[in-house]
Amino acid sequence: MPLIPEEPQIHEKAQGPRATPASGRTAPTPRPVPGPRPAAPPRPGRPGPVRPAPPAQRASRDTAAAKPGPAGPATPAATSAAPQIQLVPATPDGALGAAEEAVDLLLDSGRTPGDVLVITTGEPHPWAAHELSFGDTAYWAQHDAGDDVFYADAAVADRAVSRAVVVVALNGGPEAAAATALTVAHSRAGALLIVCGDPQRINSVLGAGV
């Protein structure tokens, strides 16, 4: 009989050969494919008992951070080429705040938290200080998980593995700490290195062979 105009015609797509169900049995209905998993949380954290949040601390910054480059996952092959370098002028007191601004811009531009490593040369980032209070093992376990932004002091940053983006905050500390931080950051950054601090100091260290 003719189809009613309002009824759409349904054409069965070819699915390839399939077994004919035995007489009296109904062929099993295919299971739906699970959808994508939800994205990782935007800030560091680890499963287990709920902890008090680290103290909110943002130093004033001299200038807004430069907008990071396009998003892309870190891969071992990416480290074969020199990373792009962005300098963000800031005083020692404002460097940590500038680094935080850079991280926010990175996440807003599409980077995943696990793409980013932050290295400090003076006072540790409040998150790092908070997590280290639970022990060195737990702290580095979060680094090894690789699914969140990780904050490290220059003195231990050489233990960190390469990530797509490394942000350095020259927030004080001796000249040797700045040299160590920039050297390690340059070797760990797969695509982008952002340095927040005094441009003259940064250029003197970068020009010395980093």
Side-chain angles (χ1 to χ4, degrees), residues 69-73 106 109-112 115:
L106 286 163
S109 72
R111 293 282 181 187
T112 61
D115 279 346

Side-chain angles (χ1 to χ4, degrees), residues 7 26 119 121 127 166 170 173:
E7 293 183 3
T26 304
I119 300 175
T121 61
W127 179 87
V166 179
L170 298 180

Side-chain angles (χ1 to χ4, degrees), residues 17-39:
R18 54 183 177 181
T20 303
S23 177
R25 295 183 183 178
T26 304
T29 303
R31 287 185 167 184
V33 179
R37 296 183 178 180

Side-chain angles (χ1 to χ4, degrees), residues 102-130:
V103 171
D104 289 340
L105 289 172
L106 286 163
L107 299 181
D108 289 344
S109 72
R111 293 282 181 187
T112 61
D115 279 346
V116 185
L117 168 67
V118 180
I119 300 175
T120 56
T121 61
E123 290 293 322
H125 187 278
W127 179 87
H130 177 74

